[in-house]
C-alpha cells in the first residue's frame, strides 16, 4: 500500500471511529439527537429498546476513540505491534458487524422491515462496515517501513 493511500485510509478510518466515539459521548449526556427520545434512538441505532445511559455508552466511546488513535498511529508507521493489532481488531469488529447487518437484511436476524433500524442498516450501517472494515483489514495487513521501502545497502 502506498504511503499516501495508507495515510488517507488511516485518516478516514480514524475520522469515522472518532465521530462514532464523540456521538457516544454526546449520548452519555442524555441527549438523543437525531431521535426524539431514548426509545426512538435505541430502536433506530440497535433495533431494540436498550439504555443509552453513561454506563452503557461511555465504554463504547472510549473503545472507539482509542481505536481511532491506534488506527491513525498505525497508518503513520507509529505505535508498533499494538497499533497494528488494534487496527486488525477494528477490521474484525467491522467485519462481524457487516455480517450481522447482512443477516438482518436477509431476515436471518430479527428486525422488523418497517423499523427505522431496518432502513438504516441497509442504507448506512452495513455498507459502512463493509467498506471501512475492508479498508481497515488492508491497512492492518499492509507492511510498511516508517522511512519508505527498505533497500539493501551496497558494501562499500
Amino acid at each position: 500500500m502506498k504511503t499516501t493511500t495508507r495515510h488517507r485510509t488511516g485518516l478516514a478510518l480514524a475520522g469515522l471511529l472518532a465521530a462514532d466515539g464523540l456521538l457516544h459521548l454526546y449520548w452519555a449526556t442524555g441527549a438523543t439527537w437525531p431521535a426524539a427520545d431514548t426509545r426512538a434512538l435505541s430502536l433506530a441505532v440497535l433495533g431494540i429498546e436498550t439504555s443509552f445511559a453513561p454506563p452503557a455508552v461511555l465504554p463504547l466511546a472510549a473503545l472507539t476513540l482509542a481505536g481511532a488513535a491506534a488506527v491513525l498511529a498505525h497508518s503513520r508507521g507509529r505505535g508498533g505491534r499494538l497499533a497494528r493489532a488494534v487496527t486488525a481488531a477494528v477490521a474484525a469488529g467491522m467485519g462481524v458487524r457487516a455480517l450481522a447487518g447482512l443477516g438482518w437484511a436477509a431476515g436471518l436476524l430479527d428486525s422488523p422491515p418497517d423499523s427505522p433500524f431496518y432502513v438504516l442498516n441497509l442504507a448506512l450501517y452495513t455498507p459502512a462496515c463493509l467498506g471501512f472494515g475492508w479498508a481497515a483489514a488492508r491497512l492492518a495487513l499492509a507492511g510498511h517501513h516508517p522511512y519508505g521501502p527498505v533497500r539493501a545497502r551496497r558494501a562499500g
Side-chain angles (χ1 to χ4, degrees):
M1 182 180 279
K2 293 168 99 176
T3 301
T4 55
T5 303
R6 193 173 61 246
H7 288 185
R8 288 177 182 162
T9 300
L11 188 60
L13 280 164
L16 175 74
L17 291 168
D20 188 46
L22 292 173
L23 194 54
H24 281 81
L25 287 176
Y26 174 75
W27 290 332
T29 68
T32 59
W33 178 87
D37 56 36
T38 304
R39 181 180 183 277
L41 181 64
S42 68
L43 290 174
V45 173
L46 299 169
I48 59 171
E49 284 189 56
T50 190
S51 173
F52 273 71
V57 294
L58 286 177
L60 294 171
L63 191 65
T64 55
L65 291 170
V71 165
L72 189 61
H74 176 64
S75 72
R76 301 299 193 262
R78 296 195 162 85
R81 290 185 183 140
L82 178 61
R84 187 178 194 149
V86 172
T87 302
V90 165
M94 288 186 161
V96 167
R97 172 54 185 87
L99 288 174
L102 293 173
W104 278 306
L108 301 174
L109 301 172
D110 189 30
S111 176
D114 60 343
S115 72
F117 174 78
Y118 186 82
V119 173
L120 288 168
N121 178 58
L122 284 176
L124 179 64
Y125 305 149
T126 299
C129 287
L130 283 168
F132 281 98
W134 176 77
R138 283 195 62 213
L139 185 60
L141 294 172
H144 65 274
H145 188 276
Y147 305 109
V150 178
R151 294 188 178 101
R153 287 192 164 175
R154 297 172 90 186

